[in-house]
Amino acid sequence: MALVCAAVGILAGCSTLPAAGPSTTQIDPPNTNPDPIKDYLVVDLNQQVVDILSQYRVAPFSNRFAAPRPAPGQIVGVGDVLSINLFEAGQGGLFASAYGARVALQQRVDTDGSISVPYAGRVKAAGESPQVVERRIVAALEGRAIQPQALVQITETVSRSFVVNGEVSKPGRYPITAAGDRVLDVLATAGGAKQEAFETRVTLQRGSSQASAVMKDLIDNQSENVYVQPNDRIYVTKDPEIFLAFGAVPNPGPINFGIEKLSLLEAVGKAGGLIDQRSDPSAFFLFRYEPASAVRSMRPDYNGRFGEKVPVVYRVNLRDPRAYFFARNFMMRDRDVLFVSNAPLTELQKFLEILSTARNVASTAYLAQRISARL
């Protein structure tokens, strides 16, 4: 009996029972709890919450890379290649040949920002427009050539270019066009992504800043389709959106969305629904981080203690028929976590099974003692 009593003492708290995750009371302790402060907010899923979140858009690019369209005028930079055509007004000059009084050159801008032009010497080019470089060349040739003229064009640009790498058909370095290029334009220039939009992650690196977004979010939200700037680097990878399912579901673990938009109700279906013998339909939870602006709309009493990134636990009561409509319109996000708690009866059954095992062990020990005493 001593063993049974010890077992009862040890197993009196539900936290000692084996489980796939926290219980309902551990996630959302009752108000009588002496320490009600949690490291997250619990929000009941209802129509108001669904309406608020339907207006929310993921904004990793526009928040970090809110740059305007690049200036349309071309500026010469270090490393650029210039096509230079020099002309004279008559024969017998510096550039006279069997092909006429002209010469064509290709010059790459040196690290000191200048180019070398015959008879004109070193001409500063970096940081100037092609028209300014033309005038500088002509001024250097005055008095040497016969009414010299120059035509300068940028044929290869490094300073006003971007790089695309990864899961695209034609990775490489590309120049920014005079009209300006957005991220989706860039991907099209590079031959397009090899994977579906909902399986493609686009990472934009600009200087020391970096952000990632799923390609479908750039398509759905044009404000995220930001303009590319000189020296940007864009990495395209296959990275399917997933959610994680735990607890009393038949198919726990990471699960691919598999479609462009996945609702909470569809996610439950992908996880195999709920296990009848174990699950508590009133204790269905979704864990994710939300921006503080969205949390303030849902919970006006939010005091801002978590900062701009708030850990939120959404509670769904699937015993309420209305919850299925809410879950149908609640959209999942990448790396969301679903958890279904065990029903209280399941915990009781676990306790009784362990208690029964402890009682059997005690009875066996007692019987062994009696037999030993008789011997």
Side-chain angles (χ1 to χ4, degrees):
M1 294 302 295
L3 283 174
V4 174
C5 293
V8 171
I10 294 172
L11 299 173
C14 290
S15 61
T16 63
L17 293 173
S23 65
T24 304
T25 53
Q26 287 172 326
I27 294 175
D28 189 23
N31 292 333
T32 56
N33 192 298
D35 184 18
I37 297 178
K38 299 182 287 292
D39 293 329
Y40 50 84
L41 295 181
V42 177
V43 176
D44 289 314
L45 187 64
N46 54 39
Q47 189 59 51
Q48 180 186 11
V49 170
V50 171
D51 291 342
I52 291 171
L53 294 180
S54 67
Q55 304 300 316
Y56 170 77
R57 295 290 182 271
V58 178
F61 285 177
S62 60
N63 286 343
R64 189 167 298 186
F65 305 120
R69 182 198 301 262
Q74 291 185 309
I75 301 297
V76 178
V78 172
D80 290 354
V81 175
L82 305 182
S83 171
I84 305 169
N85 286 278
L86 303 176
F87 304 89
E88 286 186 282
Q91 295 295 330
L94 292 174
F95 308 121
S97 68
Y99 303 100
R102 63 179 293 273
V103 66
L105 306 170
Q106 290 281 338
Q107 289 286 316
R108 185 178 294 275
V109 181
D110 208 344
T111 54
D112 64 357
S114 64
I115 56 175
S116 181
V117 179
Y119 303 106
R122 303 291 290 179
V123 177
K124 185 178 183 306
E128 307 291 354
S129 68
Q131 294 76 21
V132 170
V133 178
E134 290 171 357
R135 291 196 292 269
R136 287 182 174 174
I137 293 174
V138 169
L141 292 174
E142 288 289 352
R144 299 183 180 185
I146 302 172
Q147 296 180 0
Q149 297 292 320
L151 179 62
V152 176
Q153 293 178 310
I154 302 175
T155 57
E156 180 184 331
T157 180
V158 176
S159 59
R160 284 181 57 84
S161 65
F162 54 85
V163 174
V164 186
N165 280 319
E167 293 292 310
V168 292
S169 299
K170 297 183 294 184
R173 181 179 290 275
Y174 294 90
I176 295 177
T177 64
D181 303 282
R182 295 180 182 269
V183 173
L184 291 179
D185 303 329
V186 165
L187 299 184
T189 301
K194 294 181 179 180
Q195 313 297 332
E196 297 285 351
F198 60 85
E199 293 184 325
T200 300
R201 183 169 297 277
V202 181
T203 300
L204 175 58
Q205 187 176 32
R206 181 174 298 166
S208 59
S209 296
Q210 178 176 304
S212 296
V214 178
M215 185 176 172
K216 73 176 180 64
D217 291 332
L218 306 184
I219 297 172
D220 295 340
N221 188 3
Q222 281 300 303
S223 64
E224 291 303 295
N225 189 22
V226 297
Y227 281 104
V228 174
Q229 300 296 313
N231 300 315
D232 277 359
R233 292 184 176 272
I234 297 172
Y235 302 92
V236 182
T237 55
K238 180 180 180 180
D239 186 11
E241 291 184 293
I242 66 169
F243 68 92
L244 300 153
F246 297 100
V249 294
N251 303 318
I255 301 174
N256 286 355
F257 279 26
I259 55 177
E260 289 195 8
K261 294 182 179 179
L262 184 73
S263 70
L264 176 57
L265 196 60
E266 290 168 327
V268 175
K270 278 184 169 288
L274 309 184
I275 299 176
D276 289 343
Q277 298 84 354
R278 286 178 48 196
S279 65
D280 181 0
S282 65
F284 185 92
F285 301 96
L286 182 139
F287 296 71
R288 72 159 57 142
Y289 284 95
E290 293 286 10
S293 56
V295 173
R296 290 190 185 96
S297 298
M298 294 185 291
R299 294 276 298 269
D301 60 336
Y302 172 57
N303 59 12
R305 63 191 178 95
F306 294 110
E308 291 302 312
K309 199 173 182 181
V310 184
V312 177
V313 179
Y314 292 100
R315 177 170 48 197
V316 187
N317 181 6
L318 292 180
R319 293 188 186 278
D320 182 354
R322 296 174 301 172
Y324 289 84
F325 294 98
F326 304 152
R328 182 175 179 272
N329 296 312
F330 183 98
M331 292 297 110
M332 297 289 291
R333 294 196 206 126
D334 191 28
R335 271 60 180 182
D336 276 354
V337 176
L338 300 183
F339 176 72
V340 182
S341 285
N342 287 334
L345 182 59
T346 301
E347 302 300 328
L348 177 60
Q349 289 173 339
K350 288 181 184 179
F351 175 76
L352 293 177
E353 288 174 4
I354 296 174
L355 188 62
S356 176
T357 301
R359 183 180 294 114
N360 290 338
V361 171
S363 298
T364 301
Y366 176 72
L367 181 59
Q369 288 176 356
R370 292 290 302 272
I371 294 173
S372 177
R374 290 181 179 179
L375 293 176

